């Protein structure tokens, strides 16, 4: 994954680490709030240049392969906070001043407001709020609902784009090489996305199998017919 060091701004890593753990240590893991992470957000704030924000939903690997190659584009995980927490799980315990590694609650089974879910909702909200110009999203056209209203993109990010700052959302609906396309820009879930975005006075465009991203898929499947050059 692309390093957050591309931002080239000094950050006090010790203070950031302390603010991170103080957000959840010695607290009930099911009652974390957005406010708990605000000191961390203030210390680790970063701004992605206009036209360079890339969202993703159910396309994590492909989106990050793209930002690895196209290094002027940034996903949340390419920022400091996203990079720092990507792939991790954590929580606290009211009876201990130590990090709880044994029994962190599952967000689907135990509690919605757990430390990890609240963190990602908070940083995703800020990431969207800071976006400007044209923003982009990579969606999975090989599943029945490329746009999922219950995803972080569908619940949090699109509703925190500021129409006065963001004028266009470009969706790239990508299909797995060799797989049967399940949905496309003409599909019902993309129509739902378009309706939400249009109501927020943001222009919506959509492209199936955006060519620069398709090239990355073809690196792993160079002999597939869809990857062969058409002369």
């Amino acid at each position: 994954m692309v390093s957050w060091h591309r931002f080239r701004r000094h950050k006090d890593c010790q203070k950031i680490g302390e603010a991170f753990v103080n957000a959840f240590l010695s607290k009930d893991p099911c009652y974390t709030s957005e406010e708990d992470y605000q000191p961390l957000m203030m210390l680790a704030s970063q701004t992605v240049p206009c036209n360079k924000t890339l969202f993703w939903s159910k396309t994590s690997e492909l989106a990050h392969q793209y930002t690895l190659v196209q290094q002027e584009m940034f996903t949340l995980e390419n920022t400091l906070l996203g990079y720092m927490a990507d792939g991790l799980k954590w929580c606290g315990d009211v009876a201990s001043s130590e990090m709880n590694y044994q029994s962190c609650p599952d967000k689907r089974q135990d509690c919605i407001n757990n430390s990890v879910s609240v963190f990602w909702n908070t940083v995703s909200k800020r990431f969207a709020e800071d976006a400007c110009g044209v923003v982009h999203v990579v969606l999975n056209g090989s599943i029945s609902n490329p746009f999922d209203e219950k995803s972080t993109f569908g619940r949090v990010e699109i509703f925190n784009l500021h129409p006065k700052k963001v004028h266009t959302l470009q969706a790239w609906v990508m299909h797995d090489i060799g797989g049967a396309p399940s949905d496309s820009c003409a599909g019902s879930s993309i129509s739902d996305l378009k309706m939400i975005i249009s109501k927020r006075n943001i222009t919506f465009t959509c492209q199936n199998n955006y060519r620069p991203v398709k090239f990355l898929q073809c690196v792993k499947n160079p002999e597939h017919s869809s990857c062969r050059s058409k002369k």
Side-chain angles (χ1 to χ4, degrees):
M1 184 172 294
V2 180
S3 170
W4 62 273
H5 287 290
R6 284 192 278 148
F7 285 92
R8 298 183 182 277
R9 292 182 59 190
H10 172 72
K11 298 291 181 183
D12 190 324
C13 292
Q14 182 173 345
K15 287 184 178 180
I16 289 172
E18 290 172 354
F20 175 67
V21 297
N22 287 340
F24 58 87
L25 281 188
S26 303
K27 298 177 182 179
D28 189 318
C30 284
Y31 290 94
T32 304
S33 70
E34 185 176 326
E35 288 71 27
D36 291 326
Y37 285 109
Q38 289 311 306
L40 173 65
M41 300 297 292
M42 293 178 65
L43 286 170
S45 63
Q46 291 176 303
T47 301
V48 173
C50 288
N51 307 314
K52 304 303 181 184
T53 297
L54 181 66
F55 300 103
W56 57 269
S57 184
K58 299 180 177 65
T59 55
S60 176
E61 182 179 358
L62 186 57
H64 292 113
Q65 287 174 349
Y66 181 68
T67 58
L68 183 63
V69 174
Q70 200 77 353
Q71 294 202 5
E72 72 270 17
M73 301 293 290
F74 297 86
T75 65
L76 174 57
E77 291 78 13
N78 297 136
T79 67
L80 173 56
L81 289 176
Y83 181 83
M84 181 175 73
D86 190 31
L88 301 181
K89 293 183 179 181
W90 64 87
C91 65
D93 189 320
V94 292
S96 173
S97 60
E98 301 296 325
M99 193 175 295
N100 182 356
Y101 294 102
Q102 304 300 321
S103 58
C104 290
D106 182 275
K107 65 180 180 181
R108 290 180 291 272
Q109 298 178 1
D110 301 308
C111 59
I112 296 174
N113 294 321
N114 64 81
S115 303
V116 177
S117 294
V118 172
F119 171 87
W120 284 112
N121 286 340
T122 301
V123 297
S124 295
K125 177 182 177 182
R126 176 68 62 83
F127 186 62
E129 288 174 340
D130 289 342
C132 54
V134 180
V135 299
H136 316 78
V137 60
V138 183
L139 299 173
N140 188 344
S142 292
I143 59 177
S144 60
N145 58 332
F147 171 62
D148 182 357
E149 295 185 29
K150 296 181 180 179
S151 67
T152 301
F153 177 67
R155 289 182 300 104
V156 179
E157 290 168 335
I158 60 172
F159 292 105
N160 284 285
L161 297 172
H162 289 305
K164 290 185 178 180
K165 295 169 57 181
V166 173
H167 59 77
T168 302
L169 170 67
Q170 292 184 349
W172 301 332
V173 180
M174 305 304 300
H175 301 110
D176 294 339
I177 298 293
S182 181
D183 210 341
S184 69
C185 289
S188 59
S189 77
I190 300 300
S191 295
D192 291 339
L193 173 58
K194 180 179 180 179
M195 182 179 299
I196 293 171
I197 292 298
S198 297
K199 285 182 177 179
R200 306 199 70 239
N201 295 318
I202 297 172
T203 299
F204 177 79
T205 65
C206 186
Q207 185 172 343
N208 293 315
N209 297 317
Y210 178 58
R211 191 170 176 82
V213 180
K214 179 70 175 288
F215 283 150
L216 296 174
Q217 295 176 307
C218 287
V219 169
K220 295 182 178 180
N221 302 272
E223 299 305 318
H224 191 270
S225 59
S226 68
C227 294
R228 295 172 187 165
S229 298
K230 296 180 176 64
K231 296 182 179 179

